[in-house]
Amino acid sequence: MDNVRPDRLRALLDPVLDALDERLDGWQLAGRAHLSRFHFDRLLSAGLGEAPAAFRRRLLLERAAWRLSRGTSVTEAGFEAAYDSTEAFSRAFRRAYGTAPSGFAASAGDFRLPAPNGVHFHPPAGLLVTGEASETPMDLTDRLIDHDHWLTGRLLDDAGRLTDGQLDREVRPGHVVLAFDGSEPTARHMLDRLIWTKEVWSAAIAGRDMPAEGERSLDGLRTRWERSGAEFRALAYDIRRRDAWDDVFVDALCHPPQSFTLGGVIAHVLTFAAHRRQVLAGVLSELGVEDVAPTCPMEWERARLADRPHPPTRLRGAEEAR
């Protein structure tokens, strides 16, 4: 098992984090992870590019440095870092930070030390796992747009488990998201408006005529989602590539015509899509759909990362450390 998946790696990190204030040896740490010492050291070293003992010492020093920056005494910081004497702590601290612990607060230095894996102490008592180097890094635009596209598709799948009668039941009479879009009292109306918004604004950005109302059967909605979702994503990514968020266009589809920034339009679509998705997920649950897709982007991202291999060379800093 040379590749350690992110959630498994973090499960291995938990015993180390929990034991920061306990003077446990490697055997005891491995026991808390329900592994032999050999396998615990091997898996953690493979995932971190750093031996478990060195990793724990670094976290303790980072925490000590953070505590010193907040006024903790050198003696107390050294004791919390599991050093038997202030002298031993001061020597280790100076080797790591290039300055004595007594002068660290005045230096206003960063408490995080160089690491081959991007894992650091995170105040007050946690870990920070910085972003992994990847052939396909994700920024905020990717997260918002890809999550929106993924979740809309999942909600269509969930809606497919209902009858036409359930889809057309008025579970939210008078429900209006945007006045010019009309009311959305049924699950079918909500799905249609979720897709229609992208069709209209993609046409406006591309300079096309107002699109015709589309097919509202589930198959028709899915076809429209596949087409409009792909176009909207392509337009947003092109705007990002050109850094054209502040470019202004006149939308002739409005009456009278109005001007908008490209960034404002993308933000508008994603904002109201998020609201519609949340309401729709609740409606689908009310109509009897079990295990409706999670609407939280953090859950989506966690699931996406858990499905990917996590080789040591992909951990931040590991390439440079080789």
Side-chain angles (χ1 to χ4, degrees):
M1 182 178 175
D2 294 325
N3 294 342
V4 182
R5 295 184 183 275
D7 286 352
R8 179 55 172 155
L9 175 60
R10 287 164 196 171
L12 295 173
L13 294 178
D14 284 343
V16 179
L17 178 62
D18 292 342
L20 283 182
D21 290 316
E22 303 177 50
R23 301 198 175 203
L24 303 182
D25 60 26
W27 296 100
Q28 292 169 310
L29 284 175
R32 289 195 175 185
H34 308 292
L35 292 170
S36 70
R37 173 70 183 275
F38 171 78
H39 283 96
F40 180 75
D41 286 359
R42 176 174 174 268
L43 289 173
L44 201 55
S45 296
L48 292 172
E50 189 175 19
F55 173 68
R56 182 171 181 270
R57 282 196 301 271
R58 179 171 60 77
L59 290 184
L60 286 168
L61 282 172
E62 288 185 345
R63 187 178 69 171
W66 176 73
R67 297 273 285 152
L68 288 167
S69 70
R70 296 173 65 86
T72 298
S73 70
V74 174
T75 300
E76 186 178 356
F79 179 77
E80 290 178 348
Y83 285 87
D84 293 326
S85 69
T86 300
E87 292 75 15
F89 170 64
S90 296
R91 287 195 301 272
F93 192 94
R94 183 181 289 277
R95 283 197 302 270
Y97 288 93
T99 187
S102 57
F104 183 77
S107 72
D110 188 352
F111 68 83
R112 298 179 183 88
L113 291 165
N117 44 52
V119 182
H120 298 279
F121 170 73
H122 185 64
L127 290 182
L128 172 69
V129 183
T130 58
E132 301 170 37
S134 171
E135 294 176 2
T136 56
M138 297 185 73
D139 66 6
L140 183 59
T141 306
D142 293 305
R143 283 174 167 84
L144 292 174
I145 292 175
D146 287 2
H147 173 253
D148 170 72
H149 186 73
W150 172 86
L151 182 53
T152 303
R154 285 291 302 273
L155 292 172
L156 278 166
D157 291 341
D158 291 338
R161 295 148 66 184
L162 299 174
T163 66
D164 283 338
Q166 290 172 309
L167 287 172
D168 294 323
R169 185 182 303 167
E170 293 199 3
V171 288
R172 292 289 188 276
H175 172 65
V176 174
V177 177
L178 293 166
F180 51 77
D181 280 335
S183 64
E184 304 172 26
T186 71
R188 195 186 303 274
H189 277 100
M190 294 175 189
L191 285 166
D192 173 66
R193 293 297 93 176
L194 189 56
I195 297 166
W196 169 249
T197 299
K198 291 187 178 65
E199 292 173 330
V200 170
W201 282 110
S202 293
I205 293 172
R208 297 195 305 268
D209 293 335
M210 173 76 78
E213 291 280 354
E215 171 64 45
R216 292 189 180 185
S217 69
L218 278 176
D219 286 343
L221 287 167
R222 179 166 289 282
T223 298
R224 289 170 55 197
W225 163 73
E226 290 173 351
R227 181 175 57 247
S228 63
E231 181 178 20
F232 181 76
R233 293 167 85 192
L235 287 169
Y237 293 151
D238 181 62
I239 292 168
R240 178 186 62 184
R241 179 184 61 79
R242 297 184 290 111
D243 194 22
W245 302 112
D246 294 322
D247 286 7
V248 177
F249 73 101
V250 176
D251 183 9
L253 302 182
C254 293
H255 300 287
Q258 297 182 43
S259 61
F260 304 98
T261 66
L262 295 175
V265 168
I266 300 300
H268 166 88
V269 173
L270 292 175
T271 296
F272 289 102
H275 174 72
R276 283 185 166 108
R277 295 191 315 258
Q278 193 70 34
V279 174
L280 177 58
V283 165
L284 292 175
S285 293
E286 288 178 31
L287 290 170
V289 177
E290 297 181 356
D291 301 321
V292 174
T295 58
C296 177
M298 292 187 292
E299 294 184 46
W300 163 76
E301 185 174 61
R302 187 178 297 116
R304 184 184 67 85
L305 288 172
D307 288 338
R308 270 186 359 201
H310 191 68
T313 54
R314 290 304 180 203
L315 284 163
R316 185 172 182 263
E319 292 284 359
E320 289 79 2
R322 287 194 305 172

